[in-house]
Amino acid sequence: MSSPGNVPVKVVVDRRVKIAEVVLRCLVCGLGVLVAALVGTDTQVKEIFSIEKKAKFTDMKSLLFLVVTNGIVAGYSLIQGIRCVVSMIKGRVLFNKALAWAIFSCDQVMAYVTLAALAAATQSAMLAEEGQVEMQWLKVCGLYGSFCTQIGEGIVAALVVSLTTITISSLSAFNLFRLYGGHKRIKNCGGW
Amino acid sequence: MSSPGNVPVKVVVDRRVKIAEVVLRCLVCGLGVLVAALVGTDTQVKEIFSIEKKAKFTDMKSLLFLVVTNGIVAGYSLIQGIRCVVSMIKGRVLFNKALAWAIFSCDQVMAYVTLAALAAATQSAMLAEEGQVEMQWLKVCGLYGSFCTQIGEGIVAALVVSLTTITISSLSAFNLFRLYGGHKRIKNCGGW
């Protein structure tokens, strides 16, 4: 298996993919925690006609969904990041199809779920910021300004999380599907 | 390139992938048009205190986004479906990396955009169906019942469109990344 002209190319590509994967998974882990913290701790109290009203993230299901999904994706990325580092230290390359399928499937789910959560939260945030006159839904960000600002920061961080998980899902697709290219032919090389 | 034991397996896999791709792209095309038609033509007029009020899909930006994205994905799927059928008739197999990258990228964008549109529209529909007491956003589906039912049908069809585009994006990832597996080694088989 040591073809002098080609193995170095494959090793360099493998190493770059692994390093990129570790960096991206660490980024998702850190930003996922940041999103959960920013949105999950966000509250604002207002006094309206001597009645105290409190805005919190659980008032909107989409924000709760955003916090939960970003918390899960952060934990998952931590575990996957550790797996990547261990396999780099041990010098292992992913050639196990079952494991590659499992990682690919989980990464795909994470990418789609984080994007869905982001889209739903962004839609709610836009309604809160602009209102919807036709539905008689009023702007609430005029009242809860700092609450909305912090949610906005969380959504920007969630956008980066989402784009990064999408990139990771492409990387794991690469790691999986290249196992299906030309390998069967190699076995019969002697017969060519 | 004619290794008797392996080529038939590859040919069978290629044919099945191609057929699956054509069927899925036709499904997306048909359902994409259905979503655009269901949501885009949905209106309901109600008389409230002798004032006529009309609900239409453009009242919510997320529904407009759903119609536009499903219209685009239907047109795109039609073009890609035709390309698949032509390449099946001509017996061509996708070995052009640039084309495979272009198809993969477009399919990824379609999968993520249709999912984002679906998530945003579902969030709006849930708000219309259930309201949001904390924000003083009232249920509007009590008033516009048949309008909301038709939007719901559109959202179910959009869910199938979204799941199908996700499957197609995995197929095109397979078509692209298998081009990166073992090919470089094959060139040097004679030297092994």
Side-chain angles (χ1 to χ4, degrees):
Chain A
M1 292 294 281
S2 59
S3 172
N6 296 312
V7 171
V9 176
K10 262 194 83 63
V11 169
V12 169
V13 171
D14 279 337
R15 198 178 298 146
R16 281 188 189 165
V17 169
K18 275 250 172 291
I19 292 169
E21 204 178 329
V22 171
V23 171
L24 293 176
R25 289 196 192 275
C26 289
L27 184 68
V28 170
C29 182
L31 284 178
V33 171
L34 180 69
V35 172
L38 271 174
V39 179
T41 62
D42 195 12
T43 54
Q44 189 177 356
V45 179
K46 278 272 173 176
E47 204 167 289
I48 304 161
F49 301 120
S50 75
I51 299 166
E52 262 197 3
K53 292 204 90 179
K54 190 179 182 182
K56 52 194 185 300
F57 80 103
T58 48
D59 289 348
M60 275 195 193
K61 280 178 193 138
S62 59
L63 294 182
L64 182 63
F65 183 39
L66 189 72
V67 170
V68 171
T69 52
N70 275 273
I72 290 172
V73 84
Y76 169 78
S77 299
L78 180 66
I79 294 166
Q80 285 287 353
I82 292 169
R83 182 195 59 77
C84 286
V85 171
V86 169
S87 72
M88 274 175 79
I89 291 168
K90 291 195 174 176
R92 269 191 240 140
V93 179
L94 185 62
F95 277 136
N96 180 340
K97 275 186 186 174
L99 181 62
W101 267 108
I103 295 169
F104 166 75
S105 304
C106 291
D107 285 344
Q108 288 275 307
V109 169
M110 292 295 159
Y112 290 115
V113 169
T114 50
L115 181 72
L118 172 68
T122 306
Q123 170 62 17
S124 295
M126 281 175 68
L127 285 173
E129 180 69 31
E130 297 176 8
Q132 192 82 44
V133 182
E134 297 84 355
M135 307 286 167
Q136 295 179 318
W137 292 346
L138 303 172
K139 302 176 189 187
V140 289
C141 283
L143 195 60
Y144 301 106
S146 68
F147 176 81
C148 286
T149 304
Q150 194 164 322
I151 295 292
E153 290 163 358
I155 285 175
V156 170
L159 174 66
V160 182
V161 168
S162 193
L163 292 174
T164 315
T165 53
I166 287 171
T167 312
I168 291 171
S169 81
S170 290
L171 272 185
S172 61
F174 169 75
N175 283 333
L176 170 63
F177 293 128
R178 67 178 172 162
L179 301 181
Y180 288 85
H183 279 253
K184 283 204 152 75
R185 290 178 189 168
I186 288 168
K187 288 179 188 169
N188 277 9
C189 274
W192 283 20
Chain B
M1 292 294 280
S2 59
S3 171
N6 295 311
V7 171
V9 176
K10 262 196 84 63
V11 169
V12 169
V13 170
D14 279 338
R15 198 179 298 147
R16 281 185 187 166
V17 169
K18 275 252 172 293
I19 291 170
E21 204 179 328
V22 171
V23 171
L24 294 175
R25 289 195 192 276
C26 288
L27 184 69
V28 170
C29 181
L31 284 178
V33 171
L34 180 70
V35 172
L38 272 174
V39 180
T41 61
D42 196 12
T43 54
Q44 189 177 357
V45 179
K46 278 271 173 177
E47 205 168 286
I48 303 162
F49 302 118
S50 74
I51 298 166
E52 263 197 2
K53 291 204 90 179
K54 190 178 181 181
K56 50 192 186 302
F57 80 101
T58 47
D59 288 346
M60 275 195 193
K61 279 178 194 139
S62 59
L63 294 182
L64 183 62
F65 184 37
L66 189 72
V67 170
V68 171
T69 52
N70 276 274
I72 290 172
V73 84
Y76 170 77
S77 297
L78 180 67
I79 294 166
Q80 284 287 353
I82 292 169
R83 183 196 57 77
C84 286
V85 171
V86 168
S87 73
M88 273 175 81
I89 292 168
K90 291 196 174 176
R92 268 192 238 137
V93 180
L94 185 62
F95 277 138
N96 180 339
K97 276 188 185 171
L99 182 61
W101 267 108
I103 295 169
F104 166 75
S105 306
C106 291
D107 285 344
Q108 288 275 306
V109 169
M110 291 295 158
Y112 290 115
V113 169
T114 50
L115 181 73
L118 172 68
T122 306
Q123 169 63 16
S124 294
M126 282 174 67
L127 286 172
E129 180 68 32
E130 298 176 7
Q132 192 81 45
V133 181
E134 297 83 356
M135 305 287 166
Q136 294 179 319
W137 293 345
L138 303 172
K139 302 175 188 187
V140 288
C141 283
L143 194 62
Y144 300 105
S146 66
F147 176 80
C148 285
T149 304
Q150 193 164 324
I151 294 293
E153 290 163 357
I155 285 176
V156 170
L159 174 66
V160 182
V161 168
S162 193
L163 293 175
T164 315
T165 53
I166 287 171
T167 311
I168 291 171
S169 81
S170 290
L171 272 184
S172 62
F174 170 76
N175 284 333
L176 170 64
F177 294 128
R178 68 178 172 159
L179 302 181
Y180 288 84
H183 279 256
K184 285 206 152 75
R185 289 177 189 168
I186 289 167
K187 289 178 187 169
N188 278 9
C189 274
W192 279 21

